[in-house]
Amino acid sequence: TMVLEGEVIKETSLVLSDQLRAWAERTVVQINQYVEDVLLSGRPFKPLAFVQDTLEEIPQNVNAYAMFKYLQEQFVANYLNGIILRFSNVYGPGDATERAIPKYTRLLIAGKDATYLPGRMVAYLYIKDAVRALIAAGSVEIEKAADRTINVVNPQNISEEETFVAIKNILGSHGRVIAMEPEEIARRNLIVPLQERYDTTRMERILGIKTDSLTPLREGLTRATKWFKERPIDDKGRTT
């Protein structure tokens, strides 16, 4: 559960139930034991099998993706100098995944329609800024353990509609940017999330990254779309 403190999400805003926290603590211990066993025995590292076994025990009605990100954070927190960076939606050249920006950039390059979820707001972070944060995190010393979890986000939220329109205009695409129909939203059981604003105090104070130094969205999209246009797309719509 994310507890909004004055509508701004801080690094301390994540609250787990007692049952979920206990499960997470047990699982982190299991992860540590598994990694140590692999390193000491020299046997093959099979993370997929371990994850599948762990998923069988995950509490019901829990977002597995979010829970495993939390487990990764707890695993890192076991190390004395571990630093946890919580990125917003990272985008940029080199991303050939099915996430929103690469997926709909490929569709618009092909002159196809991009469908957005009305009301959905997103905070995007250009890949160069994510790398800056990683480099900065590797060179700082943090005394307080509580300060080792840091939001790395662009506080500027933008709607999916505005994002896709910007991509369309940069490309000069003939594809349309259209709203998802209410029937489709209901069929897919989609929920428009609340607009999220993240606290960037630690990012600025500890990593030295000011929000006004982050890459503007249009500049980042221009670089990203150039990368996609220079690469072929296969018959399944994937960047090759």
Side-chain angles (χ1 to χ4, degrees), residues 155-184:
Q156 178 190 10
N157 283 302
I158 185 171
S159 70
E160 274 196 342
E161 179 184 12
E162 291 175 282
T163 304
F164 298 162
V165 167
I167 295 172
K168 168 184 166 66
N169 292 339
I170 291 169
L171 292 170
S173 171
H174 295 295
R176 298 177 301 166
V177 175
I178 55 178
M180 188 178 296
E181 295 292 339
E183 295 78 9
E184 178 66 7

Side-chain angles (χ1 to χ4, degrees), residues 4 9 119-122 157 191-198:
L4 301 186
I9 299 177
R120 182 162 191 256
M121 305 293 291
V122 184
N157 283 302
I191 299 175
V192 178
L194 295 174
Q195 182 171 340
E196 299 172 344
R197 293 195 301 120
Y198 290 85

Side-chain angles (χ1 to χ4, degrees), residues 91 101 124 126 154 156 158 162-172 214-226:
Y91 74 100
I101 285 181
Y124 293 107
Y126 188 60
N154 189 331
Q156 178 190 10
I158 185 171
E162 291 175 282
T163 304
F164 298 162
V165 167
I167 295 172
K168 168 184 166 66
N169 292 339
I170 291 169
L171 292 170
L214 297 174
T215 305
L217 182 64
R218 185 172 182 84
E219 179 182 333
L221 288 176
T222 300
R223 296 175 183 173
T225 53
K226 181 177 183 294

Side-chain angles (χ1 to χ4, degrees), residues 2-234:
M2 297 302 296
V3 178
L4 301 186
E5 303 177 13
E7 299 185 351
V8 175
I9 299 177
K10 299 179 180 294
E11 290 85 351
T12 56
S13 297
L14 180 64
V15 178
L16 301 182
S17 66
D18 292 341
Q19 176 193 10
L20 198 54
R21 185 176 297 279
W23 175 84
E25 290 175 353
R26 290 197 307 272
T27 304
V28 170
V29 170
Q30 293 172 357
I31 293 173
N32 279 317
Q33 291 176 341
Y34 176 72
V35 172
E36 288 179 6
D37 289 345
V38 168
L39 293 176
L40 292 175
S41 66
R43 60 190 174 91
F45 181 48
K46 298 181 179 180
L48 181 59
F50 177 80
V51 168
Q52 289 173 334
D53 290 341
T54 306
L55 275 174
E56 293 180 358
E57 301 178 10
I58 195 169
Q60 296 296 315
N61 301 318
V62 171
N63 184 310
Y65 172 75
M67 195 66 236
F68 270 94
K69 292 190 75 171
Y70 174 76
L71 290 176
Q72 292 168 7
E73 290 187 357
Q74 297 310 300
F75 181 72
V76 171
N78 283 332
Y79 292 89
L80 182 61
N81 296 319
I83 297 177
I84 298 161
L85 302 181
R86 291 179 177 168
F87 294 114
S88 54
N89 293 270
V90 179
Y91 74 100
D95 185 357
T97 67
E98 287 297 302
R99 295 193 297 179
I101 285 181
K103 175 181 178 180
Y104 290 105
T105 297
R106 290 192 294 266
L107 287 174
L108 288 167
I109 287 175
K112 298 180 180 179
D113 295 341
T115 304
Y116 65 89
L117 180 61
R120 182 162 191 256
M121 305 293 291
V122 184
Y124 293 107
L125 183 72
Y126 188 60
I127 183 63
K128 179 181 177 181
D129 298 318
V131 172
R132 286 172 58 201
L134 289 168
I135 293 172
S139 61
V140 298
E141 293 186 6
I142 303 176
E143 295 182 1
K144 295 181 180 179
D147 283 347
R148 294 198 179 105
T149 299
I150 304 172
N151 290 333
V152 180
V153 302
N154 189 331
Q156 178 190 10
N157 283 302
I158 185 171
S159 70
E160 274 196 342
E161 179 184 12
E162 291 175 282
T163 304
F164 298 162
V165 167
I167 295 172
K168 168 184 166 66
N169 292 339
I170 291 169
L171 292 170
S173 171
H174 295 295
R176 298 177 301 166
V177 175
I178 55 178
M180 188 178 296
E181 295 292 339
E183 295 78 9
E184 178 66 7
I185 295 174
R187 185 185 69 80
R188 296 171 59 181
N189 197 29
L190 296 176
I191 299 175
V192 178
L194 295 174
Q195 182 171 340
E196 299 172 344
R197 293 195 301 120
Y198 290 85
D199 182 23
T200 58
T201 302
R202 290 183 185 176
M203 179 182 80
E204 299 194 27
R205 175 173 57 84
I206 298 174
L207 301 182
I209 298 177
K210 305 298 183 182
T211 56
D212 59 7
S213 73
L214 297 174
T215 305
L217 182 64
R218 185 172 182 84
E219 179 182 333
L221 288 176
T222 300
R223 296 175 183 173
T225 53
K226 181 177 183 294
W227 184 86
F228 281 105
K229 287 179 69 176
E230 292 173 347
R231 282 156 181 80
I233 298 174
D234 65 19

